[in-house]
Amino acid sequence: RVDTSNYVVITPASPVVLCEPGGLELDANAFGLPPNRNLSCGLTGDMPVTALDSLEIVPLNSSVQSGANPQSTPFANLATSRHQYLIRASDMLAAGMRSGTITGLTLFTSGNAAGASYGDLKIHLKCTPMTALDANAFEPGTVPVYAASGMLTVPPSGRLSFDFDAWYDWDTTQNLIVEICYNGRSAGNNAVLTDFYSTFYTSCVYTSNASGNSVCGGGVGSAGPNHVNELPRISFKYHPAPDADFQYAWVRLEGDYV
């Protein structure tokens, strides 16, 4: 099967007879969607020049669930908690995501518990070639992209959006780790649950602590690290990378230019 969505029109059209020592000016015009630039993974200070898009990432062969997910929700019922999630590049591409600049994300609380407030909530990101998280350890090297000021109120149901303080480029070739951590929680006995997806790989590693000693600085609390094959329902806000120029060249083949 040949992809004909992109094509080049050369004028004048062949065949053209050219007698030496004469010359002929050829013109080539490319049509179709231009190729995408591939940004390198990591923090960026460049202002995006393309329109903002939002895409929900759905793991392969999975359907959204609104049941209990007390392990994979980032909003636990303890004083401090830390979660890392691995989102595969293949699922991001399947959602229609291109290389681009991630500027925020949205979570979806499921209404299975009352809302609560969380202190010192932070979000970190990291590109990685890992296809599954280590079930017994956190992946080091994530970089901060969001920090809440004061207590963050998490509603019992609905969308919870975060606009990042720092932007992060994604290159399409690597998977993405999303880390969410908080230290401090308002009174209440129940976690705030989120919509979630089941996965067939270790996609979530987490730890928590009831004593209030923060686990956000890299420590492991009294509970964990633990793991579960679940991801909260996540939608990324991002700006696709700018289009690249068409690349083509004249090549002489057996006396003809093609």
Side-chain angles (χ1 to χ4, degrees):
R1 185 176 179 181
V2 178
D3 183 359
T4 59
S5 57
N6 286 3
Y7 58 96
V8 176
V9 174
I10 300 173
T11 54
S14 62
V16 174
V17 177
L18 179 63
C19 297
E20 293 184 346
L24 178 67
E25 181 177 329
L26 297 177
D27 189 28
N29 293 289
F31 295 87
L33 292 174
N36 302 327
R37 293 183 183 175
N38 202 37
L39 305 178
S40 298
C41 267
L43 292 173
T44 180
D46 295 337
M47 179 71 68
V49 297
T50 59
L52 179 66
D53 198 359
S54 180
L55 291 171
E56 182 176 337
I57 312 303
V58 179
L60 179 67
N61 297 329
S62 187
S63 299
V64 67
Q65 302 179 56
S66 297
N69 68 325
Q71 291 81 31
S72 62
T73 176
F75 310 116
N77 63 342
L78 297 175
T80 179
S81 183
R82 178 189 182 194
H83 286 71
Q84 282 188 348
Y85 309 104
L86 180 72
I87 300 174
R88 288 186 167 178
S90 56
D91 294 327
M92 297 169 73
L93 291 169
M97 198 164 173
R98 300 160 43 183
S99 179
T101 303
I102 302 173
T103 61
L105 64 79
T106 299
L107 300 171
F108 302 81
T109 54
S110 60
N112 292 343
S117 295
Y118 294 84
D120 197 24
L121 188 139
K122 295 180 173 64
I123 299 175
H124 292 62
L125 298 179
K126 181 186 178 180
C127 286
T128 177
M130 299 170 60
T131 56
L133 292 174
D134 185 335
N136 300 304
F138 287 99
E139 175 67 11
T142 59
V143 296
V145 295
Y146 174 85
S149 58
M151 298 292 286
L152 176 74
T153 300
V154 177
S157 63
R159 300 167 63 95
L160 182 61
S161 293
F162 301 91
D163 292 320
F164 291 166
D165 308 313
W167 300 332
Y168 196 89
D169 286 342
W170 177 64
D171 67 359
T172 75
T173 64
Q174 298 191 68
N175 303 311
L176 186 67
I177 293 176
V178 177
E179 179 176 316
I180 302 178
C181 192
Y182 70 84
N183 181 38
R185 184 184 187 277
S186 63
N189 296 323
N190 298 316
V192 180
L193 305 180
T194 66
D195 292 348
F196 68 99
Y197 291 96
S198 296
T199 66
F200 57 86
Y201 62 94
T202 302
S203 52
C204 173
V205 175
Y206 65 96
T207 190
S208 56
N209 203 333
S211 68
N213 295 323
S214 177
V215 297
C216 292
V220 175
S222 56
N226 299 302
H227 68 279
V228 64
N229 293 7
E230 291 178 359
L231 284 173
R233 182 183 174 193
I234 292 178
S235 176
F236 284 119
K237 304 176 185 179
Y238 94 113
H239 295 261
D243 294 330
D245 295 329
F246 282 104
Q247 300 290 329
Y248 50 87
W250 296 108
V251 178
R252 188 167 187 171
L253 182 64
E254 296 183 358
D256 298 326
Y257 282 96
V258 294

